[in-house]
Structures are given as structure tokens and as C-alpha cells.
Amino acid sequence: MEEIFEAILRGARRVYGAINQGELGYCDTNNCSGEQQLRLDLISDQIWLEELQTLPSVQMVASEEREEPVETGRGEYLVAYDPLDGSSLVDVDLSVGSIFGIYRESFQGANLVGSAYVVYGPRIEVVTALQGEVKRSIVRHDGGLIPLDPPRLKERGKLNAPGGTQKGWYPHHRELIDSLFSEGYRLRYSGGMVPDLHQILVKGGGLFSYPGTEDKPNGKLRKLFEVFPFAFIYEEAGGEAIDDRGRRLLDLPCQGIHETTPCFFGSSYEIGRVREFYNVPRAE
Ligand code: F6P
Ligand code: MN
């Protein structure tokens, strides 16, 4: 696992370098989720493939930007990654990220054994999680790490990051979001999953939601590349991560690598509010 985290540190500096070259163009192609690909999406994808495919501990990689997984060797781990999350924000110079889920045996939430994400903001940060341990560091230009306090979610927070097109929100979802605002929660939503979830994690709590909507009943965010890795990190940091039926996200099956799910990440108070408004009490 350590060699995968080291490859992520190397790749992070390369991706950050590519972002800083000022490449803003689009390709003529769409990814499997129907999103038009930026040239930077493909450059980042290639960087991660190069960094991961030679590692002896890796047997397969799957990318949000590729239709099929790539077999790379005979190692113990399967790595799923979102090469450049939130890439449509690069043109306005907002923070973007990369997300990694590390699996054993097959790409299922129950088989996820480690996660990481990189934030490309004013500086590069990396957060890694293994069972019982979440670490956060600044990545220096020379590749050295400056460790920061491990993030920990409190019982409740102050931030509300409501994703999805409001026009398509179901009434109970709108009531949930409104009720948090009427309790004093503050809106914090950039449209980049990595910085939005990172902000809630680092500030100690809140709710990030990406619900099912009338036009997209299964939501937008992809289980393998986005949802499972963050679910693991949130749980290991003392929070919770559930779907719209109250199930732990990490317990959900994954039938196709690009499958999506409605998702809610937060501290325990806010996830309790999701359960109330969605009428999905915790099973005893
Ligand atoms: O990767 C998909 C993504 O860009 C996430 O980073 C982000 O959370 C989400 O889409 C934003 O979607 P929307 O613009 O629909 O709120
Ligand atoms: Mn993404």
C-alpha cells in the first residue's frame, strides 16, 4: 500500500505541473458518464496510469475517463481513480483534485482497504486513509511532506454543501436542505467534490449531499472513483456516509465500474437529519 501512496505523491506533483501549464482546451470526446473530456482530464489520466501500472503491488486500474479497467500485473491491489475531479473548474482557477480507491479482489465497496485524495489549491494537499488512520499533509515542491493534524469530524458541524440541480430536487430533499439553513448552517459549495468534502472534513463537520433527482434518480457521483473512497475517509474520520435509503455507502454493491449513487457524507448529527427527512431510520 505504501508504494501506491508514494506513487500518488509523485503523480500529484506531475498533475499540478500540467495544470500550471495553462492547458484549458476540450477534446471532441465524452467519457462514459457523458461528460465532455478536457485535454487535462486525459493528460492526468495518462500520468496516473504511468505511475500506477508499474507497481508490483497493483494488478488492475480503473479510471473514470476509461471505459474498461486495465490489467497491469499480478499484485494484490486494484486501484480505481478519478484523475482530475472537478476539472470543469480549472478555467476559473478554483481548486480541483484527484481521488483514489484501493481495493482487494474486486471493485466492491466492501473490498475497499485504503483511500486517498489530492487537493490542487494554492498548495497541494494529500489525505490518505487506512483502517484506523487518516493522515493529512502538504506536499512540498520538492516532494517532501509537511504533516498536518489528522482531520476528525465532530458530532456536528456548520457547513452545508448541497449538490445536484435544485429544479430536480424531491420535496423531502429540499426540506432537509432548508431545515439545515434555518438551523444556521452556511452554504459552502464550489462544484468540486474534492474541495467541498475536504472543507467539511477540515472544518470538522457539516453535510455534503448529492441526491437522486427527478432527472437523475441515481445521482451523478460514481461509486468506485468518488463515492466509496470518500465514504471510507469520512467513516475513518468519525463521520458517516449513507445513500438515500439509509444504507452505508460502503455496503452498496457495484455492478458496473461507472455506476452512480445518491450520497450523503457528514458528521453524525447531519446524517441523522438526512435519516429523518428521508424517513430511513437507522436499523437497530
Ligand atoms: O466529478 C463530478 C463533479 O464535478 C464533482 O466534482 C462535483 O461534486 C459535482 O460533479 C458537481 O456537480 P453539480 O454541478 O451537478 O453540482
Ligand atoms: Mn469527479
Side-chain angles (χ1 to χ4, degrees), residues 14 17 41 54 68 75 93 161 167 173 179 185 190 195 197-198 202 216 225 230 274:
R14 292 178 64 193
D41 286 321
T54 54
E68 298 291 343
D93 203 19
K167 186 170 166 248
H173 184 74
S179 90
Y185 280 75
S190 74
L197 278 163
H198 186 60
V202 170
K216 285 189 179 170
F225 313 113
F230 268 110
V274 175

Side-chain angles (χ1 to χ4, degrees), residues 85-86 164 189 191-193 208 210 220-222 226:
D85 174 70
Y189 193 76
M193 183 183 194
F208 175 97
Y210 206 107
K220 175 182 187 190
L221 298 176
R222 285 138 289 220
E226 298 170 316

Side-chain angles (χ1 to χ4, degrees), residues 97-215:
S98 301
I99 314 171
F100 303 85
I102 303 163
Y103 300 82
R104 263 201 193 116
E105 283 175 30
S106 66
F107 286 125
Q108 295 294 329
N111 294 344
L112 191 144
V113 288
S115 286
Y117 65 84
V118 181
V119 192
Y120 310 101
R123 56 179 184 256
I124 310 179
E125 284 199 15
V126 64
V127 173
T128 58
L130 295 170
Q131 193 148 30
E133 171 191 281
V134 183
K135 288 186 183 166
R136 174 183 173 215
S137 311
I138 296 172
V139 185
R140 289 195 325 226
H141 287 303
D142 64 2
L145 291 184
I146 303 173
L148 299 168
D149 288 342
R152 191 80 207 148
L153 290 160
K154 299 181 203 121
E155 154 69 19
R156 67 185 285 180
K158 296 179 182 157
L159 307 182
N160 191 8
T165 311
Q166 297 192 14
K167 186 170 166 248
W169 284 358
Y170 296 118
H172 56 280
H173 184 74
R174 188 178 302 278
E175 285 161 21
L176 161 70
I177 299 303
D178 287 349
S179 90
L180 290 175
F181 283 133
S182 60
E183 284 182 55
Y185 280 75
R186 288 170 177 276
L187 175 66
R188 290 290 183 271
Y189 193 76
S190 74
M193 183 183 194
V194 169
D196 287 337
L197 278 163
H198 186 60
Q199 180 165 198
I200 290 172
L201 188 63
V202 170
K203 302 283 188 194
L207 181 70
F208 175 97
S209 49
Y210 206 107
T213 51
E214 275 159 18
D215 52 331

Side-chain angles (χ1 to χ4, degrees), residues 245-258:
R245 291 165 60 186
R247 299 173 295 188
R248 253 182 101 225
L249 291 168
L250 286 169
D251 286 339
L252 299 182
C254 185
Q255 270 136 16
I257 66 165
H258 297 279

